[in-house]
Amino acid sequence: MEKTVSAVVANAEGEIFDLPGYAAMGMSGETTVPLITGDTINTPYGSEFMLLPDRNPVLFNLATKESEILWENPLEPGNPVFPVAVFNSPGYVNTHTSAYTEKDNAQNLPLFSYGAVGWQNGSFRSAAIRVDRERRQDLRLMKQEKIDNGIKRLQQSMPTNRLVRHLEKCALEYGCPAAKNFFLGRYEAPLPTSQRCNADCAGCISLQKDSDIINPQERIPFTPTPDEIAEVALEHIQSVNKSVVSFGQGCEGDPLLAAKEIHPAIEMIRATTSRGTINMNTNGSLPDVLKRLFDVGLDSIRISMNSTRKVCYNAYFQPKGYTFKDVERSIDLAVKKGKFVSINYLNIPGFTDSPEETESLLLFLKKHKINMIQWRNLNYDPVSYLNIMGSAATFGSPIGMKRLLEKVKNDFPSIKYGYFNPPREKFRP
Ligand code: SF4
């Protein structure tokens, strides 16, 4: 067997340490495998490590060559030991989640992704694949001092723009990399607009209703005016090369429900400049509304989905007043209009790489000529998610995320892989 990666666990104080005699394991649905060097990478800069409460780590015992649930800390018998997971930086797809079993009193984990991680030659090793080389959200390039200067400058030049004030909170309190990039004058700026949504995603990060899960961000408490939106967009477009401005952020509902403000805002932007890329991250629920936004100048869309199987989509998105067919209509409309179309493919190993999901995705890509798949680790409790999906449809043993990415690329070589919305300068190969 290829060289395994050492196991890491945590004690009650939250101290993470490697455990001699044990290899790390990765979980993919009900399957657990020892992590080996070739299937892991050095954990990307800026990733975060998490201790998983009310859970026991599943590790590979190098002496018995068997997987083992740890009930206590073998280095301090009688003391608890906890699984460790990694929240990998943007641009990396988890191939396995952290391997653990839940205790009876386990609550839902907060809205993060829980990648498998180990230790080797002095560094953490993540079970992940890089899908985007762009350093758009590389924290080493986002100095706080520069962000603060950007905020000060825009407080002077846009003293009454409520959207800029909102983005200050996003950058400073939520640590939103998109908001930080606006104040840094880099890459992509966010244009959150909508207070409402016509979906009710289990893992919505801006609104959680009747759930034990806490939403990490508050939904934007007002609807910016077309002037406020256009002012922010033009500030970014006119000062950033190959700029992107995006509707549809984590701190809002779905932008299609704020088309009344977005339509005149795009008109104002395009009346002033033809530079920059105007993008929308959306659930794609309202194709007729989207048509009008394309006609006024929207350049690209990114449509979020956790599955191309209607029953699995409905089980997670819980759509209100629209159907998966409407989402498909939005995609086909965008393709017909020559717009750049990405799907924001929310993935969790064990489900996304199941044979049923793989086959359905390949059929979907044959039907809908999209340009890009943005592989996004779904920020949701992996065990709960598999239970939700299991209640909606069957899914068999995973083929592996690596193999899934290879298969899709093999069958659809022109489809781009990535994580970030590209500027239109990169639309066409
Ligand atoms: S589509 Fe977006 S805003 Fe709407 S419920 Fe889902 S995550 Fe939340």
Side-chain angles (χ1 to χ4, degrees), residues 2-14:
E2 199 192 319
K3 190 166 177 353
T4 55
V5 169
S6 301
V8 290
V9 292
N11 58 23
E13 288 68 45

Side-chain angles (χ1 to χ4, degrees), residues 197 199-201 204 206 219 252-254 283 317:
C197 190
D200 187 13
C201 298
C204 181
S206 65
R219 202 161 269 185
E252 65 172 312
D254 197 89
N283 60 23
F317 273 75

Side-chain angles (χ1 to χ4, degrees), residues 219-392:
R219 202 161 269 185
I220 189 167
F222 62 93
T223 302
T225 64
D227 291 288
E228 287 173 317
I229 298 167
E231 191 179 30
V232 170
L234 288 167
E235 162 63 32
H236 195 68
I237 289 173
Q238 290 169 333
S239 58
V240 177
N241 196 22
K242 295 184 184 159
S243 60
V244 180
V245 291
S246 283
F247 299 101
Q249 300 296 326
C251 59
E252 65 172 312
D254 197 89
L256 290 174
L257 281 82
K260 194 163 65 56
E261 286 77 20
I262 293 175
H263 190 281
I266 296 178
E267 251 174 349
M268 276 185 231
I269 298 166
R270 286 298 173 233
T272 309
T273 178
S274 61
R275 281 167 50 97
T277 302
I278 305 176
N279 174 67
M280 181 175 281
N281 306 322
T282 172
N283 60 23
S285 53
L286 306 171
D288 301 335
V289 172
L290 208 45
K291 181 180 179 308
R292 291 198 293 279
L293 296 175
F294 284 144
D295 293 344
V296 80
L298 184 65
D299 297 301
S300 61
I301 51 164
R302 181 185 76 190
I303 293 193
S304 293
M305 55 182 71
N306 65 309
S307 172
T308 55
R309 291 193 285 174
K310 191 176 66 180
V311 283
C312 299
Y313 177 89
N314 291 348
Y316 179 78
F317 273 75
Q318 304 178 87
K320 310 274 179 271
Y322 76 91
T323 66
F324 191 65
K325 269 259 163 296
D326 293 317
V327 176
E328 291 181 293
R329 276 184 54 218
S330 291
I331 290 173
D332 295 340
L333 168 78
V335 170
K336 199 159 143 241
K337 285 188 168 291
K339 303 293 179 177
F340 190 87
V341 183
S342 303
I343 57 169
N344 186 31
Y345 203 47
L346 308 172
N347 53 262
I348 284 202
F351 172 73
T352 309
D353 54 347
S354 64
E356 295 82 358
E357 283 294 302
T358 302
E359 195 197 325
S360 175
L361 177 62
L362 296 173
L363 280 175
F364 178 91
L365 296 174
K366 205 176 266 166
K367 236 169 91 184
H368 307 289
K369 305 295 179 215
I370 66 164
N371 305 98
M372 183 180 203
I373 299 177
Q374 295 187 18
W375 297 91
R376 199 159 246 97
N377 302 322
L378 177 62
N379 290 349
Y380 199 78
D381 182 308
V383 172
S384 298
Y385 181 71
L386 295 172
N387 291 338
I388 296 172
M389 291 301 112
S391 64

Side-chain angles (χ1 to χ4, degrees), residues 8-9 24-29 31-33 35 50-52 55-59 82-88 94-102 109 113-118 127 348-349 381-383 386:
V8 290
V9 292
M25 294 197 91
M27 189 157 74
S28 185
T31 316
T32 51
V33 292
L35 296 187
M50 292 174 279
L51 169 161
L52 308 186
R55 291 158 175 82
N56 292 98
V58 176
L59 306 179
F82 299 90
V84 169
V86 62
F87 182 53
N88 285 305
N94 294 340
T95 59
H96 293 80
T97 57
S98 173
Y100 60 82
T101 58
E102 292 182 330
L109 292 167
S113 62
Y114 298 90
V117 62
I348 284 202
D381 182 308
V383 172
L386 295 172

